[in-house]
Amino acid sequence: MPNVLLVEDDPVIRRALIRGLTERGHAVDSAATGMAGLERAVANRPDLVVLDLGLPDVDGRTVLRMLRGASRVPVVVATARDDEAEIVAVLDAGADDYVVKPFSAAQLDARIRAVLRRGGEHPVDSAVVVGGLRLDSRTREATVDGRDLELTPREFALLYYLAARAGEVVTKRELLAEVWQLPYGGGDKTVDVHLSWLRRKLGETAQQARYLHTVRGVGVRVVAPEP
């Protein structure tokens, strides 16, 4: 039974979602403010957090950043805005998925189950190694040539997805759909920006690539550097 922490200030919505998620097999804890939610998330270590952005004490984005500094718990953000800029911003800040208000308990349950399935795709001791690059999906640790890589959750997810498919050319549309969970089409710029950040941390450039190689007009692939 997954343990879900629901951070939602509206008591009517909170009660309805608690009832709906409980009926669907979740153990639900709740908090009405951002700081209370943050404290419960750190102390109780739920399997997943549903985080409303419109909280009365602290903006939900701030709560998300604070939570990401202390925990890797999956987060589904609830937002009233459905424009791409808003969605990309919260995903880049560390959210694993999002739902747009108004939504039903059934829709939220589907999102929760999808996120938890993605988190369980790899064995507990699974690690991907490409040349001197090593990514551990359990500990979320990344190293290159023995040096720690300080990656954001989104950077780790992007690099892990590419490294797990080493040698394959992965399109930006596929990355948007699988890493960002965005519909196909548009948003290529956010992929380019994250690839640029990854190259900087890996100590390479697009012109002098070691691991991340751009295939012009097609996508990007990870390969081990030549000796």
Side-chain angles (χ1 to χ4, degrees), residues 7 33-39 41-42 49 51-71 75 77-78 86 89-95:
V7 186
T33 66
M35 293 311 297
L38 185 63
E39 291 172 2
V42 173
V49 174
L51 177 63
D52 180 33
L53 292 186
L55 297 169
D57 58 338
V58 183
D59 182 77
R61 296 168 189 78
T62 301
V63 176
L64 177 59
R65 287 194 295 270
M66 295 170 70
L67 181 58
R68 275 291 166 256
S71 173
V75 177
V77 160
E86 170 79 4
V90 296
L91 292 173
D92 284 348

Side-chain angles (χ1 to χ4, degrees), residues 17 49 57 59 71 80 117-118 148 151 191-192 203 221:
L17 291 178
V49 174
D57 58 338
D59 182 77
S71 173
R117 280 198 306 271
R118 291 201 297 270
D148 289 338
L151 303 180
V191 177
D192 292 336
R221 65 179 174 185

Side-chain angles (χ1 to χ4, degrees), residues 81-98:
R81 298 178 61 186
D82 62 356
D83 61 281
E84 182 177 298
E86 170 79 4
I87 292 168
V88 169
V90 296
L91 292 173
D92 284 348
D96 295 88
D97 205 344
Y98 66 94

Side-chain angles (χ1 to χ4, degrees), residues 118 121-122 126-130 133 135-137 140 142 151-181 184 191 195 198 212 220-223:
R118 291 201 297 270
E121 283 180 350
H122 308 288
S126 175
V128 171
V129 178
V130 182
L133 178 65
L135 301 161
D136 191 317
S137 64
R140 310 291 286 186
L151 303 180
T152 66
R154 189 65 55 191
E155 288 168 352
F156 182 92
L158 174 58
L159 188 55
Y160 191 99
Y161 189 88
L162 290 168
R165 294 155 182 77
E168 299 179 16
V169 179
V170 182
T171 67
K172 293 177 184 178
R173 286 188 173 186
E174 180 178 343
L175 292 173
L176 285 169
E178 299 299 329
V179 178
W180 274 265
Q181 302 301 308
Y184 278 83
V191 177
L195 288 172
L198 281 175
L212 292 170
V220 62
R221 65 179 174 185
V222 164
V223 297

